[in-house]
C-alpha cells in the first residue's frame, strides 16, 4: 500500500512471546531459544498482518491511518478522521480477524500437506507449555502458526471492548438500538466474558503456567455503566 504509516513496537510486545517458554530455559536453553524465536516471529507476523488488514479495509473507504501500535496485548490501528457507514466500520473491524482465519487455514493446510497428523494429546499435558507438539521443527512451526492465528481470530471476535468483535457488534447494533444501547449491550457481554475467562486462566495457573486472556473487566464495566454519560467510543478497531 502506498503511503508511510508509522509502526510503533513496544518492548512489552516481547512478553507474550517469551512467557510460554520460560520453563524450558532452565532445562533446554538452546531449544527454548529456537522455540521463542519462532513463536515471536509468528506472533509479530500474525498481529502485524491483522492490523494491516484494518488499515487496508479503512483505506478502501477513504479513511487514512495515523499509526499502528504493537504492544503487550496485541495491536491497534489509529485512524484519521473519516466517515463510514456502521456496516463499513463493522467490515473494517472484521478485516483483522479475517486475515487470522485465512492464515490459520493456510498453516493448517500446509501442515497436513507437508507433515503428518498431530499426535494424540495427553490429557495430563494439556496445559504444558507449549502443548504437546509434533516431532520436527517444521511440523511444530506450521502447527503453532495455525493454533496461534486460530486463537487470535477467536479471541478478537469476542463481543467485548476493546476487541474487534465488540466493535463489530457495536456498529451493527447501533442502527437498530441506538449508539448508547449498543455500547451497553457490548459492555454487558464483555463483563460476562471477563468473568468467565477465569475458567480458562485458573487451570493452567494451578499447573504453573501464567496466561492472560481478554477481555478486561474494567473497560467493559465502564461502558455498561457510563453509556450515554461520556463521549462515544472512538472508532479505532484494535
Amino acid at each position: 500500500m502506498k503511503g508511510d504509516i508509522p509502526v510503533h513496537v513496544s518492548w512489552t510486545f516481547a512478553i507474550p512471546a517469551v512467557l510460554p517458554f520460560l520453563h524450558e530455559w532452565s532445562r533446554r536453553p538452546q531449544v527454548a531459544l529456537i522455540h521463542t524465536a519462532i513463536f515471536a516471529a509468528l506472533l509479530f507476523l500474525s498481529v502485524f498482518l491483522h492490523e494491516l488488514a484494518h488499515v487496508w479495509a479503512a483505506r478502501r473507504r477513504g479513511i487514512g491511518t495515523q499509526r499502528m501500535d504493537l504492544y503487550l496485548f496485541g495491536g491497534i490501528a489509529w485512524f484519521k478522521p473519516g466517515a463510514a457507514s456502521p456496516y463499513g466500520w463493522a467490515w473494517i473491524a472484521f478485516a483483522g480477524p479475517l486475515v487470522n482465519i485465512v492464515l490459520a487455514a493456510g498453516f493448517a493446510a500446509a501442515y497436513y500437506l507437508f507433515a503428518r497428523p498431530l499426535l494424540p494429546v495427553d490429557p495430563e499435558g494439556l496445559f504444558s507449555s507449549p502443548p504437546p507438539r509434533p516431532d520436527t521443527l517444521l511440523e511444530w512451526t506450521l502447527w503453532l502458526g495455525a493454533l496461534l492465528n486460530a486463537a487470535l481470530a477467536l479471541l478478537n471476535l469476542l463481543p467485548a471492548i476493546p476487541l474487534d468483535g465488540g466493535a463489530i457488534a457495536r456498529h451493527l447494533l447501533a442502527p437498530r438500538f441506538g449508539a448508547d444501547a449498543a455500547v451497553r449491550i457490548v459492555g454487558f457481554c464483555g463483563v460476562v466474558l471477563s468473568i468467565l475467562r477465569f475458567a480458562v486462566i485458573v487451570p493452567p495457573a494451578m499447573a504453573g503456567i501464567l496466561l492472560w486472556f481478554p477481555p478486561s473487566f474494567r473497560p467493559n464495566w465502564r461502558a455498561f455503566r457510563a453509556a450515554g454519560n461520556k463521549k462515544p467510543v472512538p472508532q479505532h478497531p484494535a
Side-chain angles (χ1 to χ4, degrees):
M1 293 184 294
K2 297 180 180 179
D4 295 329
I5 301 174
V7 179
H8 300 160
V9 183
S10 169
W11 68 269
T12 59
F13 189 76
I15 296 177
V18 174
L19 279 180
F21 307 99
L22 284 179
H23 78 293
E24 282 191 336
W25 285 94
S26 60
R27 299 183 301 163
R28 301 180 298 174
Q30 292 183 345
V31 175
L33 177 61
I34 295 174
H35 290 164
T36 301
I38 292 175
F39 183 65
L42 290 172
L43 181 64
F44 179 85
L45 177 67
S46 302
V47 174
F48 178 71
L49 291 179
H50 175 110
E51 297 305 322
L52 202 61
H54 288 315
V55 173
W56 174 82
R59 181 166 294 184
R60 296 277 293 180
R61 281 153 182 78
I63 300 173
T65 303
Q66 295 177 350
R67 73 179 191 276
M68 287 190 291
D69 294 336
L70 304 184
Y71 65 112
L72 174 62
F73 299 122
I76 185 169
W78 299 93
F79 298 131
K80 297 177 181 179
S85 68
Y87 297 102
W89 281 114
W91 167 247
I92 293 172
F94 179 66
L98 178 60
V99 163
N100 293 127
I101 293 173
V102 172
L103 288 173
F107 277 111
Y111 177 87
Y112 283 105
L113 285 174
F114 301 109
R116 61 189 179 85
L118 284 172
L119 295 175
V121 176
D122 179 7
E124 296 182 357
L126 181 60
F127 295 110
S128 61
S129 179
R133 52 184 174 267
D135 295 331
T136 70
L137 199 58
L138 175 61
E139 292 176 356
W140 184 77
T141 301
L142 296 175
W143 167 78
L144 185 62
L147 180 65
L148 173 62
N149 279 279
L152 287 174
L154 180 62
L155 291 176
N156 273 283
L157 287 175
L158 294 176
I161 295 172
L163 302 175
D164 293 322
I168 295 170
R170 190 174 75 248
H171 291 302
L172 292 181
L173 291 173
R176 182 170 183 177
F177 299 102
D180 289 347
V183 172
R184 282 183 177 273
I185 293 172
V186 174
F188 175 77
C189 292
V191 168
V192 174
L193 290 171
S194 68
I195 296 174
L196 293 178
R197 69 192 174 123
F198 287 101
V200 179
I201 295 176
V202 171
M206 295 177 64
I209 307 300
L210 298 179
L211 298 175
W212 183 91
F213 288 98
S216 298
F217 180 84
R218 182 176 297 180
N220 289 281
W221 178 249
R222 287 179 177 176
F224 176 63
R225 290 292 303 273
N229 299 326
K230 294 185 178 182
K231 296 181 180 179
V233 179
Q235 302 182 55
H236 298 148

